[in-house]
Amino acid sequence: MKTYFLYVLLVLLAWGCESNKAKKVELKDLVFRCTVTEAENEPLIVEINGKEQVFEVPADGVVEIKIPQIAPQYSNVTYGCKFYPLYLAGGEPVEMTFSGNVDDWKRIFSGNCKEINEYLSSSITPFESSLFYKNEEALKEETEKLIQMNTRALESKKLSADFSDMEKVRLRYLAYASWNTYRMNHRWMAGVENFEPSDLYYNTMQELAGENADWVGLKEYRRFVQRAIKTLATRGTGEQTPEQVIDKEIEYILANYKDSVLLGDLMHHFIHEYATDHGVEGKKELVEYYKQYVKDPKQLQDFETVCATWGKVQPGSLSPSFNFPNAKGENVALESFRGKYVYIDLWASWCGPCRREIPFLKKLEQRFKGKDIVFVSISCDREEEAWRKAMEEEKVSGIQLFVNGDLDFAKSYVVSGIPRFILLDKEGRIVDAHMTAPSDPKTEEMLRELTGLEG
């Protein structure tokens, strides 16, 4: 998560920590002092200037962080399962104390920004997803009421004008944050399968996603813009391939945004996400756009790595191998399936979309029974017990394997999410590294076009 405030200024600031280990520092440079009582064996993760920094918690529980210069900004602290919002500014250090006990979520602030951090730790009323049952007019009315209520609560704290002005913007984008899911949720909640939102919905999304250079450093604004683009760029286009979708999204970005920082953020978000899922084969223009607009050296290096990895798993390339245990504890290597097509399903017991594909996978297995194709399900669960329980619950068939902590195969295919499907030919060469799902009618059609699987 990137939570930086006034990004245009922050990108000019150097990160002042010389080590990711906690240490005592000179008071003049001290920005944040965090005391963890009843500390567990967990690192303290603090986000500053848009970067997550990991610190060991020493025996006395005190972590002190220095930065030579810092602009006012939203931040956060993560410790184990705990996640706390935080606000930092220059001057005297922010001081925070909390317990490492998982049942104690209280925190105490002192020093700089004390009142602001106490406000952020108070309960900001969240948006209720049940509102998606309503029509667009009622939904917007309720969303605006929520903003007004949270704004009144903010104003009652009588905090600094600079913070309050930006916080009012943040509260608006928090309230509208999930509006991009309205079409899908309303269809489900109202039982209207073919529901399409009205112009009011799209006009609201477009207005909120308008370019504002003053808000580029606000995480909630950037996230809303990203989600709105996905909604607005493909409005009225019907079913689209991933290649067509990314083209529409880039076209929308170039037509509507000029700020260099926002453009860089958007190009990174959309093109990197696409490259991670699909590679950039045949999409030279995406690589050119990325290099033109993204300036962060680390992001550029990571993008090059993603592209290079995908270059190794193009159609016709020999697939990376695996050697995983089956339900009997016997290791099964990919090479043992030579002479048959291999349809691979990467899944996990905790993944709802993965489990929803299982009935469709079973049907495919039955339809191609006796043909030269095997269906191999590879569980990415951390715990073997969870995998075995899910297999029993789903009454799975086909070949079931367990990664057993070995993620090399998934990394070789740049797997960023599951379920993920891969199709190999009889020689173990890649047919499609991002194969369609069992539930997609195109999957059976594609399989029947393979030599030996016709009919």
Side-chain angles (χ1 to χ4, degrees), residues 194-213:
N194 297 318
F195 169 75
E196 291 294 338
S198 67
D199 287 344
L200 173 64
Y201 168 78
Y202 288 107
N203 290 342
T204 301
M205 293 287 285
Q206 187 170 19
E207 180 182 352
L208 287 167
E211 181 174 77
N212 190 315

Side-chain angles (χ1 to χ4, degrees), residues 344-351 353-355 357-358 361 376-381 386-392 394 396 399-403 418-421:
I344 298 171
D345 168 21
L346 292 168
W347 72 293
S349 63
W350 45 262
C351 170
C354 298
R355 296 184 70 155
E357 289 292 337
I358 291 176
L361 183 60
V376 181
S377 297
I378 301 176
S379 167
C380 299
D381 281 288
W387 167 53
R388 292 187 179 277
K389 182 180 179 183
M391 285 196 295
E392 183 178 348
E394 299 290 349
V396 296
I399 298 166
Q400 301 293 325
L401 305 179
F402 177 54
V403 297
I418 52 175
R420 173 71 176 273
F421 305 95

Side-chain angles (χ1 to χ4, degrees), residues 78-89:
T78 303
Y79 184 79
C81 64
K82 295 184 176 184
F83 179 86
Y84 297 131
L86 183 67
Y87 190 82
L88 298 172

Side-chain angles (χ1 to χ4, degrees), residues 106-127:
K106 291 183 296 184
R107 55 272 203 197
I108 299 172
F109 291 98
S110 59
N112 196 15
C113 305
K114 175 179 181 291
E115 293 78 13
I116 290 176
N117 280 303
E118 287 176 343
Y119 156 76
L120 291 174
S121 297
S122 65
S123 178
I124 296 174
T125 304
F127 177 87

Side-chain angles (χ1 to χ4, degrees), residues 3 14 66 75 154 169 215 275 282 287 310 344 384 437:
T3 54
K66 70 172 183 178
S75 179
L154 167 65
V169 176
W215 301 344
V287 177
W310 265 105
I344 298 171
E384 183 176 344

Side-chain angles (χ1 to χ4, degrees), residues 111-315:
N112 196 15
C113 305
K114 175 179 181 291
E115 293 78 13
I116 290 176
N117 280 303
E118 287 176 343
Y119 156 76
L120 291 174
S121 297
S122 65
S123 178
I124 296 174
T125 304
F127 177 87
E128 293 288 343
S129 59
S130 59
L131 293 173
F132 286 135
Y133 177 81
K134 298 178 178 290
N135 63 33
E136 295 91 320
E137 292 82 1
L139 175 64
K140 185 168 184 178
E141 182 179 348
E142 292 297 327
T143 305
E144 289 295 326
K145 285 181 181 178
L146 173 65
I147 295 169
Q148 292 168 13
M149 180 172 62
N150 282 328
T151 299
R152 286 194 297 270
L154 167 65
E155 291 173 342
S156 72
K157 302 295 183 181
K158 301 187 183 304
L159 302 172
S160 69
D162 287 345
F163 172 79
S164 295
D165 289 346
M166 186 55 73
E167 178 65 3
K168 288 175 184 178
V169 176
R170 193 179 79 95
L171 290 175
R172 173 165 294 278
Y173 283 99
L174 275 175
Y176 279 99
S178 58
W179 259 50
N180 63 300
T181 68
Y182 175 59
R183 178 172 174 266
M184 174 188 68
N185 279 310
H186 188 80
R187 285 183 173 187
W188 174 63
M189 292 179 180
V192 184
E193 185 176 347
N194 297 318
F195 169 75
E196 291 294 338
S198 67
D199 287 344
L200 173 64
Y201 168 78
Y202 288 107
N203 290 342
T204 301
M205 293 287 285
Q206 187 170 19
E207 180 182 352
L208 287 167
E211 181 174 77
N212 190 315
D214 293 335
W215 301 344
V216 172
L218 198 61
K219 173 189 66 178
E220 288 77 9
Y221 167 72
R222 294 196 314 280
R223 283 188 174 176
F224 181 88
V225 171
Q226 292 166 3
R227 293 165 179 169
I229 289 170
K230 288 181 179 292
T231 300
L232 296 168
T234 57
R235 179 187 179 186
T237 57
E239 187 176 355
Q240 299 269 290
T241 66
E243 293 79 7
Q244 291 170 323
V245 170
I246 188 64
D247 287 345
K248 291 286 186 183
E249 290 168 344
I250 298 302
E251 180 183 353
Y252 188 93
I253 291 169
L254 292 173
N256 290 278
Y257 302 98
K258 305 301 179 186
D259 181 84
S260 61
V261 176
L262 184 56
L263 269 173
D265 181 78
L266 293 173
M267 289 297 184
H268 169 68
H269 176 80
F270 283 92
I271 297 178
H272 191 281
E273 182 180 84
Y274 176 86
T276 300
D277 288 343
H278 305 283
V280 291
E281 183 73 16
K283 303 295 288 183
K284 182 181 178 182
E285 69 279 8
L286 293 183
V287 177
E288 293 173 350
Y289 282 136
Y290 195 91
K291 292 181 177 180
Q292 178 181 351
Y293 292 105
V294 179
K295 303 303 180 184
D296 184 279
K298 188 178 184 303
Q299 291 178 344
L300 287 165
Q301 182 179 5
D302 183 53
F303 182 69
E304 292 286 352
T305 301
V306 169
C307 294
T309 304
W310 265 105
K312 298 175 183 178
V313 290
Q314 292 303 307

